Amino acid sequence: GAGVSQSPSNKVTEKGKDVELRCDPISGHTALYWYRQRLGQGLEFLIYFQGNSAPDKSGLPSDRFSAERTGESVSTLTIQRTQQEDSAVYLCASSWDRGRGGYTFGSGTRLTVV
Amino acid sequence: GNSVTQMEGPVTLSEEAFLTINCTYTATGYPSLFWYVQYPGEGLQLLLKATKADDKGSNKGFEATYRKETTSFHLEKGSVQVSDSAVYFCALTPNTGNQFYFGTGTSLTVIP
């Protein structure tokens, strides 16, 4: 597509439930990032995929968080047993290179855990 | 390590005022530097970038110069408009490694 597409745009879930967030990057973009943006704060790195290389998972805050990406296609971020502190906007970005030209961001998924 | 420190907001300016948002960085090697903008209710958009020392990135009247000697990448605009109201993020990506480092963002409100 023309841009990075994320779904759902908004998600309200009950504490303890699992959620799955989807990112559809720009076609041909080999690099894909997930970031988290809590209200009034900066962006927190979560995970990075580059082509078929092993992902950089160093930013995942706990083992409740996981992400997958098949090749250079769609990525899903899964949060198990959600907690209230997981409430944030989850942003996905993709790039055709390692990011030195800049990334294109999706509009994000606003997750609210009640 | 790598990090970005940017001026804390919020910043409120009158229309046509001069804008400076300071950004300094710490990085190994020679990073690429970026400014991203997030308009209300929208995702982040790349505003401008610079990939080497002394490069000047510019877009929509905004400018920033990559200053290696002061490790800075300050964002400037000569005459702001109400439509520039947004949150501005300074960011870097090192020439090695995977991560993209963002500042905490500076909220700008321009009043008529």
Side-chain angles (χ1 to χ4, degrees):
Chain A
V4 177
S5 177
Q6 290 188 245
S7 61
S9 55
N10 280 286
K11 175 72 176 177
V12 180
T13 189
E14 292 182 352
K15 178 181 173 181
K17 296 286 178 82
D18 297 351
V19 295
E20 190 173 276
L21 313 180
R22 177 187 170 104
C23 173
D24 200 343
I26 292 174
S27 179
H29 279 195
T30 58
L32 186 148
Y33 279 99
W34 283 97
Y35 281 86
R36 177 168 69 178
Q37 185 179 23
R38 289 196 169 111
L39 185 64
Q41 297 186 22
L43 278 76
E44 178 185 359
F45 167 74
L46 296 177
I47 189 169
Y48 167 73
F49 296 91
Q50 174 63 45
N52 293 316
S53 301
D56 177 354
K57 303 180 181 180
S58 60
L60 294 178
S62 77
D63 59 8
R64 296 187 295 106
F65 287 73
S66 62
E68 293 184 350
R69 186 185 188 199
T70 304
E72 297 176 2
S73 63
V74 170
S75 175
T76 54
L77 175 69
T78 301
I79 308 173
Q80 296 179 309
R81 306 181 302 281
T82 52
Q83 303 295 314
Q84 288 187 327
E85 63 262 27
D86 299 334
S87 296
V89 176
Y90 289 82
L91 293 166
C92 176
S94 71
S95 174
W96 65 269
D97 59 8
R98 294 178 69 88
R100 293 182 70 80
Y103 279 76
T104 302
F105 280 83
S107 297
T109 294
R110 182 175 299 278
L111 175 66
T112 304
V113 182
V114 297
Chain B
N2 298 294
S3 66
V4 175
T5 301
Q6 67 179 99
M7 170 179 164
E8 290 195 16
V11 174
T12 302
L13 294 174
S14 297
E15 205 165 22
E16 299 184 3
F18 185 86
L19 168 72
T20 300
I21 301 178
N22 289 337
C23 172
T24 57
Y25 67 90
T26 302
T28 52
Y30 300 91
S32 291
L33 302 174
F34 305 84
W35 277 100
Y36 280 82
V37 58
Q38 187 174 32
Y39 297 104
E42 299 184 16
L44 274 80
Q45 302 174 25
L46 177 63
L47 180 60
L48 54 85
K49 69 179 189 288
T51 58
K52 61 183 188 296
D54 300 325
D55 268 2
K56 178 184 283 187
S58 61
N59 186 24
K60 300 182 181 180
F62 291 88
E63 293 183 339
T65 301
Y66 188 145
R67 301 285 188 200
K68 193 170 187 335
E69 64 276 13
T70 55
T71 61
S72 65
F73 193 56
H74 305 321
L75 182 68
E76 296 182 336
K77 186 173 186 181
S79 175
V80 293
Q81 305 300 312
V82 173
S83 57
D84 294 327
S85 298
V87 180
Y88 293 82
F89 291 90
C90 185
L92 73 82
T93 185
N95 60 347
T96 58
N98 300 331
Q99 199 172 135
F100 210 65
Y101 297 83
F102 283 86
T104 53
T106 302
S107 174
L108 170 67
T109 301
V110 180
I111 55 177

